[in-house]
Amino acid sequence: MMELQTSKVRMLLDVEQKPPFLQGLLLSAQHVFAMFGATILVPLILGMPVAVALFASGIGTLIYMVSTQFKVPVYLGSSFAFIQAMAFANSQMNGDVSAAQTGVVLVGLVYVGMALLIRAIGTAWIDRLLPPIVIGPMIMVIGLGLANSAVKNAGFIEGATSNISWSPLLPS
């Protein structure tokens, strides 16, 4: 069996350390931009209330922060991963969001179950299954795949209209 080789990564900051003020300010701005894209755009695309998404992501973030004892400064927002399934559920229910909401709750319960399983057996299997060499390109492909839609929706292409309810992931 081939042994997985990992290298030591020299982190700039450890978990207990805080960045200098200016660097922390820039990292905070980065979080705001990342948060805005998902937490505001996903509900707008799906025709759902943005306020609910903001409230739910705030509660989720607080639960996460307490669970990690405030060691990992992360904002948890909406995800583009389920747009297609939620849009399909909405279209099948003639615009009624109850099927999509039920799906979100069920997926949330699956996430809680997985979190408990991972807590019990550890993360080594995840690191072997999805090493950084796999995760990095996967994230880049997702971002590049959405870039075309982002440019069109931002109105940077002449003749393209900024229609927030349009997405290449949704059926026409």
Side-chain angles (χ1 to χ4, degrees):
M1 185 162 97
M2 184 181 223
E3 186 64 32
L4 179 68
Q5 294 183 1
T6 57
S7 63
K8 293 266 183 185
V9 176
R10 190 177 147 266
M11 295 176 51
L12 298 177
L13 297 171
D14 200 0
V15 173
E16 303 294 332
Q17 296 176 314
K18 292 184 180 180
F21 179 76
L22 185 58
Q23 185 181 18
L25 195 62
L26 291 173
L27 291 171
S28 297
Q30 179 184 9
H31 270 290
V32 170
F33 286 120
M35 175 278 300
F36 186 82
T39 306
I40 305 300
L41 192 58
V42 169
L44 287 176
I45 288 172
L46 293 171
M48 296 181 169
V50 174
V52 173
L54 286 170
F55 178 76
S57 65
I59 296 296
T61 299
L62 290 174
I63 291 170
Y64 181 81
M65 296 297 284
V66 168
S67 298
T68 60
Q69 300 171 349
F70 296 88
K71 290 183 178 179
V72 184
V74 173
Y75 173 82
L76 302 178
S78 303
S79 172
F80 285 94
F82 303 107
I83 286 181
Q84 184 66 36
M86 291 177 71
F88 180 75
N90 285 350
S91 69
Q92 294 301 304
M93 299 288 288
N94 296 321
D96 183 13
V97 298
S98 59
Q101 290 170 332
T102 302
V104 168
V105 170
L106 292 175
V107 167
L109 292 174
V110 169
Y111 280 4
V112 169
M114 287 299 297
L116 293 172
L117 179 68
I118 290 169
R119 183 175 185 181
I121 64 174
T123 61
W125 66 277
I126 297 173
D127 296 335
R128 285 185 175 272
L129 182 65
L130 300 169
I133 193 69
V134 172
I135 297 297
M138 191 166 47
I139 291 171
M140 290 186 327
V141 166
I142 291 169
L144 290 172
L146 291 171
N148 183 36
S149 173
V151 168
K152 285 180 182 176
N153 285 333
F156 292 138
I157 296 177
E158 191 173 325
T161 59
S162 179
N163 183 1
I164 206 71
S165 64
W166 175 87
S167 169
L169 304 173
L170 302 178
S172 300

